[in-house]
Each structure stands twice: as structure tokens, then as C-alpha cells.
Amino acid sequence: MAIPAEVRRYWLPILLSAAGFLFQLLVLPHSFPPSHYDALGIERFAPVERVVEAYELLSKEWLAETNQQTTVDIIKIRYAYELLTNPILKRDYDLFGLDHHKDVLEKVKEQYQKEHFLKIDLPLLKDSSVHSTDYAFNVLTYESFMHSIAEEHPLLIMVYSKGSPRCAQFIEYWKQIGSRLVGVANTAMVELGDVQLTGHFAEQRFSKQPFFRNGLPTLVAYPADCRNPSCYMRYPGELFVDSVVDWVATSVVGLPRILYYSKETLGPQFIGKSGHHKVKVIFFSSTGERAAPFLRQAAQEDSTYASFAFVLWKEDESQIWWNSLGVESAPSVVFLKGPGAKPIVYHGTFTRSEFTKIMEEHKHQELRQLRRDTSLELGCDARGYSRAGNDTMIWYCVIVAGRPGVELTKRRQILRNAQDQLFSDVNASTSGNVDSSVVVSSAAAALKDDRLTFVWLDGEVQKKFCAFYLATDYSGACGPGGFGDDNDKSELFIVRFQRNATYEALKAKKTNNLMEALQGQHTTDASQLVARYKGPDEIEEINKWISQIIKDGDTREIPYFTSKVPDLVPEETRKEWLRSTKSIRSAGTSVKQRIQNSGFHFRDYLTDPRIGPSLLMSACISMGIIWFKSNQPTQTTPQDGAPPKDKTKRRRPRPKLSTSLFGQPEYTADPEPKDARQWEMTDSDSD
């Protein structure tokens, strides 16, 4: 069947009109179901007295023989009566449209829909009434609220109602959330009756009625740099302890996540890819929960020294972890402090203070790396001082340098063992059991006095620094390794630093102006001498060599000599988690958030009474435009020789281009009349 031409012409107005009528007749009424006031037949927001009066009139009709109401209708009336006569439930329903006991109504309707209304067990809300026990704590008023958001720490707020059984059930979870966020974010509560506060946190429909999309309780957070009541962030997920804590730590505070690894990925993905200079901190969890906020905060604060990872404990893998790391059970934490170092294992759970103490003890490798941010701390910088203090005149730094690889790892382990041997000599001398030789005791004494430091250097990254001390070009231990380069042998050397008190006194007198003071900041303060080790890789031999260097350096008079040392290259130029992971939104109205929540906001448009009239008006406008265009008179083409009707609209013809040889215009003769004849001249030369 062919579609009529008029229908094809007016398809858009017809479609818009049908959509407008369907929206007004079907969609809009369904979006506004009858209220509990409608069940009682009274006006909305009627007082309690009017509710009681309407209920008494309706209840008298139930016993009459002419009663036409079904059991379900009677249940709706009774439920509306009990809800609207409760002050707190009526307040929540009138202000925010909240019906905390809707599940009770549906359950009773299903249970008694085929029974007589006299068999209904009344009251309906006897088990779901307002709880008499006040479980709230740290409830904010408007004055305390303004003071709380001005504090340094972020603030997490739970909006609750005394009449909500869901809020009462969530309170235990809320206590766990607060305990996990100690030191990271503060927590507080706001009761729904404080309209001045809850008005900030509620969303608004097109009818300007405030509402809570996901009901109560609802959670909102104020970041640390937020000082405006309307710049909060609304929690969008499920109300689970782990989910809420993770959202606060990640989106509000901006802490890094600690990832989980399996036994197959822990080695190549975590240990192999994290920094060579960092301590590996591995947590074993039997629950699979995300890292506690204080652990994530430690991962951020100690990111220069340590890398963090989580492993899910499985019983069938317990033997693997015991053989490799010495872990017996979960929860536990393991510290790997460098190649060859024995893993340090702690079993059990830890509080924030306990873990801070353990982390402070084990956050450094046993043989630390010489880097830009550790050179002054280690006493291996000519512009600084020794670890013994500013009064120390001579100190030493033992360095093993090389390209990262097997050779450097082996040398690092040997140098760490040499350091441990000297530490044992220090402990032996303290206890009185001195068995070591006089030569070795010189190194042990220097290590005890913090005048001796053992470090390792990445010669590939710090190539200029490495080449300066070894007096060589970029090969061997220093510089980038080329393809097929087998000359990756590491180098062991010691640097002697000596301060010159006379030179420092003269420099202090010269810095009388700002320019001289700024120039003095970049000068080398200590004299440096370098000695390279050429002996075998044996611990005793290395310690004897170090001790001999220290003995000679402390007793001999060496000329004071300084030179410009190349600066160390920063090895960590950025940290991924320092990028802001939070976006502060003004009451949740940003464009980004609306796009993200478009699936939810689309339902709000179904309650907009302007949609139907707008569709009908668009249909009328489109119909008028189509009718106007279709009824315009058509313009006919003028006949040849006929003058145009509108001379003003006549288009001037474009002149033709000349085609003559020299560009002269060609003249076309006038047409010859039918009665024309040739005129002969009398003085013609023709015969």
C-alpha cells in the first residue's frame, strides 16, 4: 500500500505531534505516580490532623456492606496513614520525596492481596519505625560545618535520616570507614532535618523539588583545597566499606593505588621494572581488599626510596612463598633491601603508627644508591658535609659504578657484604672481642664515626659524573651500553673529601653582597682525591684496601685541590600519582559529570512537563513551514522574445570574448530583409 503524498510531505509534524500526545498522556502521568496523600483523598502537604480525619472517614466505609475497596487499596490507605502521622517520616516525604519503608508496603501487598483486610497485622510499620537509639556521632550544625570544611584535611560527610532503617544498618560500616580514614580524611554526619545543610547536598528536579537520587544514606566529600560549601564531590558507587575508602583515597585525597600481582607477574612486572635503588615492599593479603589509606600514603611519601605491591595469598602457593621469601601466612609484609639481601618478613596486621615505625627502619637499601636527591644525605657531595657533622674535616665515600646488569649486581652484593663485615667488626670492638687486624680496624672506626659511606652508582644514567671520577671516556662502567658491548665491567673506587677551614673563612668574608652569595652556592667546598681498586673481588681484600686508604688519608698532608664536579642527573622526573585524580565540581553540575551520568539524568527529563508542549509546538511550526513552502506560486520560464516581468531581477548577460586574430571585436551583420535588392553603382568599373 502506497503512502499518500500528503503524509509523506508532513511526516515530521505528524511524528512530533504523536510524540507530544504520547508524552502528555502516557509518559508524564506514569512519571508522577499517585502520592500517599492521593490515597487518602486529601491535598498534598496536609497537616497531621487532616490525615487522621481522612483516615477515620475511610476506615468507617470498610465495615459497610457497600464497601467497594479492595484489600490492596486498604493497605495503601493504612500505609499512607502510618507514614504521614509519623513526624520524621512525613518530614522526609514532604521535603525530599523519601519513602524509607516502600519495601514494607510491597511485602504486605503481596502477602495479603488475596486475604480479607481484617486479617492484616497492624500496624504495618511496627518493626520499621524510627529507632529510639541515637546512633549518630559527630553531627554537624551549619556553624561547625563551615569550620570543618576550612580545615586542612579532606572531609567525608554522611547525610542520614533518623527514620531510615537503611541508615541504621549502615552505621557499623560507617564506623569502619571512619577508622580506616584516620589521618587521611575527617568524617562527620548531617541529619536530614537540618534543611539549611541538606539543601546543599540534594539534587533538584525540573519542578524545583530537592531529592536524593540514590536515597539515604548519601555520601559527599570536600577535598583539602575546597573552601566553598558548593564544591563537594558526590560518591557515585555502592555503599561498601572498601569501595568508599578507595574512592576517598583515590578521587578525593589523590593517593596512589597499590596494585596486586600474582606469582607469575611479581618478578617481571614489579621487581624487574621498579627502580634498582628502591626497597621492594610486598604485602600479602588473604581477603583481596585494596590497600589501606595509610599504606597508600606511605607509598606516596616514601616513593623515592621504596616500591609497593600486593599479593593475594593462596594456600596452594604457600610453599612457593615460603621457599622464596620466607612468608608463612597472610597478612604479612616483606622488605627486599637489595640484591642478595635476606628478605625481612613481618607477620600479622599493623596499625598506622606500627607500620610507620617499621617503614622508617627498612625504607633504605642496605647498600644505597648515589643519586641527586641522596648525595648530600649520604655525604658523597663536595658541596656538603659528611654524615658525622659539619665539624668533620675528612670523610670517605666508597662507590661501585657500572651499567645495570649482572656484573653490577654481583659487585653491589660483594660491597654490601664488605660493609656488613665492617659493621660486625664495629659491634665486636664495642663488646670487647677485637679479633680483626689493625688495618681493618681503621675502616671499621671510620664507619662507626659516620666518616665512611658505601654506595653504588648507575654509570649509564650518571655517565658524566662517573667518567669524571674514573677519568675515562664513556665506556666500560660509564655511559650507555652499545649493541654487543661486552665491556660492562663495574669499577670500585673511593673518594676522599677534605674541608679547608681557612678557605671557608675567606669565602664567608667575601660574600658581602647578594651576587657573590649566589655565586658561592655553586662552588665546590671540599677537596677530592680518587683511588681505584685493582685487587680481587674478596671481602677481606676490599676492606684492607679501604682501611689503608683511610689510614693514609688521615695521617698524610695532602695539598688542598678542588675541581668542578658534574651535576648528578635526576632519575625520577615525574610521578604518575602526583597528577590530580580528583575534579572538584560545584554541586555536581559540571559538563563532564553530566556526560558521565547521562544515563541517570535522562530519566529526569521524563518528569519535565515542558517536553509535551514543546513537541506539539514544534509540530505546529514545522507544519506551517511545510505548508507555506508547498503553496508558494511556481515561477515559469519566460518565452523567447517576451520581455521579462521584473526587469530589476533580469541578469545582465556576460560579454563574449573576442576570437579575432588581433583581438578586435567581430561585428555581425544585420539580418537581410526578404524584399531587399542589390543597389548598383553607376561609376562601376565593371563592363
Side-chain angles (χ1 to χ4, degrees):
M1 181 178 178
I3 301 177
E6 293 296 325
V7 176
R8 291 199 304 269
R9 181 182 302 172
Y10 293 99
W11 68 269
L12 180 60
I14 294 174
L15 182 61
L16 293 175
S17 301
F21 281 113
L22 289 175
F23 185 87
Q24 288 295 111
L25 298 177
L26 300 178
V27 178
L28 192 60
H30 183 72
S31 301
F32 291 93
S35 65
H36 296 308
Y37 290 98
D38 297 331
L40 294 172
I42 57 178
E43 67 278 5
R44 191 170 178 83
F45 307 119
V48 178
E49 294 78 7
R50 183 75 179 91
V51 172
V52 174
E53 179 183 354
Y55 176 75
E56 291 178 350
L57 292 176
L58 292 173
S59 61
K60 291 179 181 180
E61 299 178 359
W62 298 346
L63 300 176
E65 296 181 356
T66 59
N67 179 32
Q68 300 295 329
Q69 291 181 337
T70 62
T71 303
V72 174
D73 294 335
I74 295 175
I75 292 174
K76 292 180 180 179
I77 294 172
R78 176 67 189 189
Y79 179 82
Y81 165 74
E82 293 185 15
L83 185 142
L84 296 177
T85 53
N86 188 302
I88 295 180
L89 299 182
K90 186 176 188 300
R91 176 203 68 188
D92 297 349
Y93 184 74
D94 290 347
L95 294 179
F96 301 98
L98 293 172
D99 189 353
H100 304 299
H101 309 285
K102 188 182 298 183
D103 57 334
V104 176
L105 175 61
E106 299 299 329
K107 181 179 179 180
V108 174
K109 286 165 55 177
E110 183 179 358
Q111 181 179 359
Y112 295 102
Q113 61 180 347
K114 297 182 180 180
E115 301 289 342
H116 193 272
F117 70 91
L118 294 177
K119 295 183 179 181
I120 300 175
D121 188 13
L122 301 178
L124 301 177
L125 302 179
K126 59 181 179 297
D127 297 329
S128 303
S129 58
V130 180
H131 298 268
S132 59
T133 304
D134 189 7
Y135 52 79
F137 55 93
N138 194 19
V139 180
L140 295 178
T141 61
Y142 188 78
E143 292 75 15
S144 60
F145 164 74
M146 297 301 297
H147 176 73
S148 298
I149 63 175
E151 294 182 357
E152 180 181 358
H153 287 82
L155 177 64
L156 178 66
I157 298 177
M158 180 181 75
V159 182
Y160 77 101
S161 172
K162 295 180 180 179
S164 172
R166 190 182 177 202
C167 294
Q169 296 171 1
F170 183 71
I171 193 62
E172 293 300 326
Y173 292 158
W174 178 249
K175 293 178 181 179
Q176 297 180 29
I177 293 172
S179 62
R180 294 191 184 187
L181 293 177
V182 171
V184 176
N186 299 328
T187 57
M189 304 175 68
V190 172
E191 214 282 322
L192 198 64
D194 195 342
V195 183
Q196 189 177 10
L197 277 179
T198 53
H200 288 294
F201 308 138
E203 300 180 64
Q204 283 192 349
R205 301 186 188 275
F206 291 100
S207 59
K208 302 301 181 182
Q209 180 186 4
F211 76 105
F212 292 93
R213 186 178 304 278
N214 298 322
L216 294 182
T218 187
L219 305 179
V220 294
Y222 286 86
D225 52 352
C226 177
R227 299 294 180 265
N228 193 315
S230 62
C231 69
Y232 61 86
M233 302 171 64
R234 185 178 289 109
Y235 174 64
E238 297 291 335
L239 295 175
F240 298 115
V241 176
D242 192 37
S243 300
V244 174
V245 172
D246 178 69
W247 175 76
V248 174
T250 304
S251 300
V252 181
V253 184
L255 296 178
R257 283 192 171 99
I258 303 178
L259 303 180
Y260 270 83
Y261 295 89
S262 63
K263 62 182 179 63
E264 293 83 10
T265 60
L266 182 65
Q269 297 294 330
F270 173 67
I271 298 178
K273 291 187 176 181
S274 57
H276 299 287
H277 63 284
K278 293 185 179 182
V279 175
K280 312 303 187 292
V281 185
I282 306 172
F283 300 92
F284 286 85
S285 172
S286 58
T287 61
E289 291 185 350
R290 298 179 179 93
F294 72 87
L295 296 180
R296 300 170 65 169
Q297 196 170 36
Q300 185 181 51
E301 294 174 353
D302 298 328
S303 60
T304 306
Y305 310 104
S307 299
F308 292 73
F310 259 81
V311 174
L312 181 62
W313 177 266
K314 298 178 181 179
E315 291 298 332
D316 56 347
E317 300 175 355
S318 58
Q319 191 63 35
I320 298 176
W321 301 124
W322 166 253
N323 295 333
S324 59
L325 300 176
V327 180
E328 297 179 358
S329 61
S332 59
V333 58
V334 180
F335 292 88
L336 301 179
K337 303 179 66 176
K342 183 180 179 180
I344 301 174
V345 184
Y346 290 89
H347 291 90
T349 58
F350 307 95
T351 62
R352 181 186 183 90
S353 58
E354 292 173 346
F355 181 77
T356 302
K357 183 179 180 181
I358 295 174
M359 190 66 201
E360 193 65 27
E361 181 181 356
H362 299 292
K363 71 179 182 179
H364 298 299
Q365 286 188 346
E366 295 185 5
L367 184 66
R368 299 183 60 181
Q369 183 189 16
L370 179 58
R371 306 170 64 243
R372 183 172 184 175
D373 53 355
T374 61
S375 60
L376 293 175
E377 177 187 355
L378 296 173
C380 297
D381 195 318
R383 295 171 296 179
Y385 301 94
S386 71
R387 295 184 297 121
N390 299 342
D391 297 331
T392 303
M393 301 301 297
I394 299 175
W395 67 97
Y396 303 87
C397 186
V398 181
I399 305 174
V400 56
R403 301 167 184 167
V406 178
E407 183 67 24
L408 179 60
T409 301
K410 180 181 177 181
R411 269 293 183 90
R412 285 172 57 188
Q413 185 173 351
I414 294 173
L415 190 60
R416 181 187 58 79
N417 293 333
Q419 178 185 239
D420 294 342
Q421 180 63 43
L422 291 179
F423 274 122
S424 64
D425 293 344
V426 170
N427 297 331
S429 63
T430 304
S431 60
N433 300 323
V434 181
D435 297 331
S436 58
S437 63
V438 179
V439 180
V440 176
S441 64
S442 299
L447 186 64
K448 179 182 177 181
D449 297 336
D450 291 335
R451 295 194 306 118
L452 177 62
T453 305
F454 290 79
V455 297
W456 68 276
L457 179 71
D458 188 342
E460 185 174 5
V461 176
Q462 309 294 346
K463 56 183 181 180
K464 292 183 178 180
F465 188 88
C466 174
F468 171 81
Y469 278 113
L470 295 178
T472 182
D473 55 357
Y474 297 153
S475 62
C478 307
F483 179 77
D485 188 3
D486 297 330
N487 189 21
D488 286 345
K489 185 178 179 180
S490 60
E491 296 286 347
L492 179 63
F493 59 95
I494 185 171
V495 182
R496 175 186 179 272
F497 297 94
Q498 179 182 5
R499 291 175 53 225
N500 191 325
T502 305
Y503 171 77
E504 291 184 357
L506 293 175
K507 188 182 69 171
K509 293 181 180 180
K510 291 181 179 180
T511 55
N512 296 325
N513 54 54
L514 180 61
M515 183 60 66
E516 292 178 355
L518 293 176
Q519 293 177 354
Q521 293 179 359
H522 301 283
T523 60
T524 303
D525 296 334
S527 174
Q528 303 165 76
L529 288 177
V530 181
R532 299 173 65 173
Y533 179 70
K534 298 297 184 180
D537 289 340
E538 297 180 2
I539 297 175
E540 293 294 336
E541 295 296 328
I542 293 175
N543 285 339
K544 287 181 181 180
W545 173 73
I546 296 173
S547 297
Q548 188 64 45
I549 294 293
I550 294 175
K551 183 180 178 180
D552 294 342
D554 290 344
T555 57
R556 293 173 56 188
E557 290 291 336
I558 301 176
Y560 187 80
F561 176 77
T562 60
S563 59
K564 176 64 177 176
V565 182
D567 294 330
L568 290 166
V569 178
E571 298 186 17
E572 290 186 2
T573 57
R574 60 172 182 161
K575 299 175 183 177
E576 294 297 334
W577 54 76
L578 292 183
R579 299 178 182 178
S580 179
T581 57
K582 57 181 179 291
S583 56
I584 303 175
R585 306 174 180 91
S586 178
T589 57
S590 67
V591 176
K592 180 179 179 180
Q593 188 181 19
R594 288 195 175 190
I595 295 175
Q596 292 176 348
N597 299 335
S598 59
F600 296 98
H601 284 273
F602 175 76
R603 299 179 60 183
D604 295 343
Y605 287 97
L606 300 180
T607 63
D608 188 0
R610 299 169 297 182
I611 298 296
S614 299
L615 292 174
L616 294 175
M617 183 177 64
S618 300
C620 294
I621 294 175
S622 61
M623 181 176 291
I625 294 174
I626 295 173
W627 179 87
F628 179 76
K629 289 185 176 181
S630 61
N631 286 275
Q632 276 188 337
T634 57
Q635 295 182 359
T636 58
T637 304
Q639 299 292 332
D640 295 339
K645 295 181 179 180
D646 190 0
K647 294 184 179 181
T648 61
K649 296 183 179 180
R650 184 178 179 182
R651 188 173 182 181
R652 184 176 182 180
R654 180 182 299 178
K656 295 182 179 180
L657 298 177
S658 174
T659 58
S660 61
L661 180 61
F662 299 102
Q664 297 297 327
E666 295 181 351
Y667 296 96
T668 305
D670 293 335
E672 183 179 356
K674 295 181 179 181
D675 55 350
R677 62 186 181 87
Q678 182 68 29
W679 181 266
E680 296 182 357
M681 299 296 294
T682 56
D683 55 350
S684 178
D685 294 338
S686 59
D687 294 334

